[in-house]
Amino acid sequence: MIPAYSHCLMSQLLFAAGLCPDMETYGSWMAWCEDEFTYSVNITYICDWTQTIEPYSRVTKCAEAVSLTLNCTDRRRLFDVFMLDLHRRFFANCTAPQEADFDAPDDVFAAAVAIPTILVWVAVFAWTYWNANKR
């Protein structure tokens, strides 16, 4: 059976040929990293970051370790290709959590309106008083 990693990414890895001394070994190890992620994450809760952060952290460290161990020349590019593919396949249907819209508490709103209004009124009164007493 061909690992899921090689289906989507083999053409990109072939394009990146020469970035690792042994791309076949690189592909096999990256497939293992992905398998570890797949088995350790609960797909039902894939979009819940609190459930996914630990396996995600492990797959990140695994991918970095593979490119370091194999002495790949362009580690960043290989890592980006791997992680983008992982995101496309596992996180494509996730949406950013919506933050609930909320109004400011009444006392904060009242202060935000009252303070500038009072300051403007005091400034106009002071300016008028000062100009009237100048003469």
Side-chain angles (χ1 to χ4, degrees):
M1 179 179 162
I2 298 173
Y5 178 72
S6 60
H7 284 298
C8 299
L9 212 51
M10 194 50 75
S11 62
Q12 291 175 341
L13 287 177
L14 290 174
F15 175 72
L19 297 179
C20 274
D22 185 357
M23 287 304 289
E24 187 175 326
T25 303
Y26 175 82
S28 298
W29 283 15
M30 295 307 281
W32 182 84
C33 289
E34 183 182 310
D35 288 344
E36 286 297 309
F37 174 76
T38 304
Y39 295 130
S40 63
V41 72
N42 186 342
I43 297 298
T44 308
Y45 301 107
I46 191 77
C47 294
D48 181 0
W49 189 242
T50 60
Q51 301 287 325
T52 310
I53 191 167
E54 187 176 328
Y56 187 87
S57 178
R58 284 196 307 265
V59 76
T60 301
K61 289 175 185 170
C62 183
E64 290 172 350
V66 168
S67 62
L68 277 170
T69 302
L70 292 177
N71 199 25
C72 300
T73 56
D74 195 353
R75 291 180 193 94
R76 185 83 250 154
R77 185 169 156 203
L78 289 169
F79 179 79
D80 289 347
V81 167
F82 174 73
M83 294 307 287
L84 286 171
D85 183 62
L86 190 80
H87 277 250
R88 278 187 205 109
R89 288 186 293 113
F90 287 97
F91 302 103
N93 295 325
C94 295
T95 57
Q98 297 295 324
E99 293 184 21
D101 293 333
F102 65 92
D103 291 334
D106 289 342
D107 55 344
V108 172
F109 179 73
V113 170
I115 291 173
T117 304
I118 292 170
L119 288 176
V120 167
W121 183 83
V122 168
V124 168
F125 178 78
W127 181 73
T128 305
Y129 182 78
W130 181 67
N131 278 337
N133 287 334
K134 248 170 86 170
R135 298 179 192 185

